[in-house]
Amino acid sequence: MAEKDGAYGRAAAVGVVAPAVLSVGALAAIVAMIGDLPDPVATHWSGSGPDGFSSPELVLVMTGAVGGALPIALGVSVLGSIRRGERGFVLRLLPSVALGLSTLMGVLMVGSIAMQRGLPDAADAPSILPVLAWGLGAALVAGATGWLVQPRHEATAPAAAPARPLALAPGERAVWVGRSEMRPAALAAIIGGVAVATLAALANWVVGDTAVAIVVTCVALLLAVLAASLTVFHVRVDASGLTVRSAARLVRMRVPAEDVASASAIEVSGLSQFGGYGIRHIPGATAVVLRSGSALEVTRGSGRRFVVTLDDAATAASVLAAVAEDAHAAQD
Amino acid sequence: MLLRIDPDSSAALYDQIAGSVRREVAAGRLAAGERLPSARDVAEALDVNLHTVLKAYQLLRDEGLVEMRRGRGAVVSARADAFAELRAEAAALVARARTLGVGADALAALVRTAAEEA
């Protein structure tokens, strides 16, 4: 199959192996220096001096999590799609981002620790700016190298077979009405996040600082509004075309029946094809992706695609194809 | 949820809408616990009166296929599981009828008569 270009091996090397080696190296370097460090060490800077401190062990955990586990997770996320033969901008980008992030974290962590060696008190640590500049520079070079090492990805959105229009008797009307929803586990995580933010807001009003309480309350409100409005979309296919709107009617997207060139049921992967979940804009397509899996894909007259994830995408596609056929017939 | 209506048909529109919902449940595309779309959405999509859709949902509630829950609207009841259980037997019956040369309408009439006599 499409493995000829070596994209899988290169993506694994750039997005998984290299970050793993870098983070193990960074951890080893920090462990080697840990005897010479003040405790606590400086971990946060503002302006020219440090203003945040924590134990050296926490630095190790941070290095492993943000410099190792997170980039590797990014790198691993695209491998399945690449192995299946999918190619695309995001699939080439994510391993490079993983390598850049892991390089940045490695340089920042090792650099900030190395300059505190032999200091009696971490408050005397010098400015972080040179280390930050080196880290950003190295990350850019590493990311660019990672991008160039991978083969060129010709976007291969698997050509979907257009749905066959639903057969209707003369005068019969067919519509499809349903919802695009997240997986229950993802929804539970979001509800959990809103609950935590709400508790944090309440706690700050009761015992904390008023300014913090105001900020945290705003975050909690924003999360609640986003969760309420963007986790469920109402989807309607009727004589006027396709309408997708968020639960609180904040967002409304339409593809008029006359503008539907073809409708098909496809399988999508949120992260690798659209770079994430939610309302996504990528070159050539707009998508409402609340989970990976089956989705309705509409190609417009201009060639632009509109994608929305639906459980019963096949039926919705056949209704939309029938509606579009009628609209085109009415125009002629 | 797929809904089909034929305004020229002799059957009442609300009967046709209720029939569409029953067909979706019978086909396994609507499972127990799933929410039906709001009556307003359905009415706008089909370009029919809101009360027609409400009457269809009422009909489905009366036969126990749908429950009305405050704040959640119309929800498919556990009765849908019974539908799912009967689906295989219905398919077998249809296959048997086909080998005997009995069409779908005749078979439906046969089942209806049997149900009325039972």
Side-chain angles (χ1 to χ4, degrees), chain A residues 236-243 254-258 260 320 323:
Chain A
R236 197 160 103 189
V237 177
D238 60 20
S240 68
L242 171 69
T243 311
R254 273 180 50 75
V255 181
E258 311 81 60
V260 174
L320 187 57
V323 162

Side-chain angles (χ1 to χ4, degrees), chain B residues 17-37:
Chain B
I17 295 171
S20 286
V21 176
R22 279 187 217 114
R23 210 167 303 140
E24 290 291 287
V25 173
R29 289 194 290 254
L30 266 182
E34 271 189 64
R35 263 189 295 173
L36 295 186

Side-chain angles (χ1 to χ4, degrees), chain A residues 242-291:
Chain A
L242 171 69
T243 311
V244 176
R245 62 173 174 75
S246 69
R249 293 189 185 248
L250 285 179
V251 183
R252 190 164 174 278
M253 286 168 275
R254 273 180 50 75
V255 181
E258 311 81 60
D259 196 22
V260 174
S262 75
S264 13
I266 59 167
E267 291 290 316
V268 298
S269 153
L271 196 57
S272 64
Q273 286 172 1
F274 299 99
Y277 298 89
I279 301 175
R280 319 296 305 180
H281 291 283
I282 62 167
T286 300
V288 176
V289 183
L290 299 190
R291 54 157 177 72

Side-chain angles (χ1 to χ4, degrees), chain A residues 112-131:
Chain A
S112 66
I113 289 300
M115 70 191 194
Q116 297 179 58
R117 258 186 315 173
L119 290 181
D121 183 353
D124 302 330
S127 163
I128 190 74
L129 287 178
V131 172

Side-chain angles (χ1 to χ4, degrees), chain B residues 24-85:
Chain B
E24 290 291 287
V25 173
R29 289 194 290 254
L30 266 182
E34 271 189 64
R35 263 189 295 173
L36 295 186
S38 77
R40 183 158 70 124
D41 256 6
V42 173
E44 280 175 18
L46 284 171
D47 196 17
V48 298
N49 194 295
L50 175 63
H51 295 286
T52 308
V53 182
L54 287 173
K55 195 163 174 188
Y57 280 16
Q58 205 88 46
L59 191 68
L60 292 165
R61 192 192 63 176
D62 291 346
E63 66 187 46
L65 190 59
V66 154
E67 288 164 7
M68 297 295 182
R69 292 196 195 151
R70 197 171 289 275
R72 292 200 70 204
V75 178
V76 179
S77 76
R79 181 74 56 88
D81 293 335
F83 264 60
E85 233 166 89

Side-chain angles (χ1 to χ4, degrees), chain A residues 7 9 99 171 227 249-250 285 297 326:
Chain A
L99 180 56
R249 293 189 185 248
L250 285 179
E297 178 189 67
D326 276 357

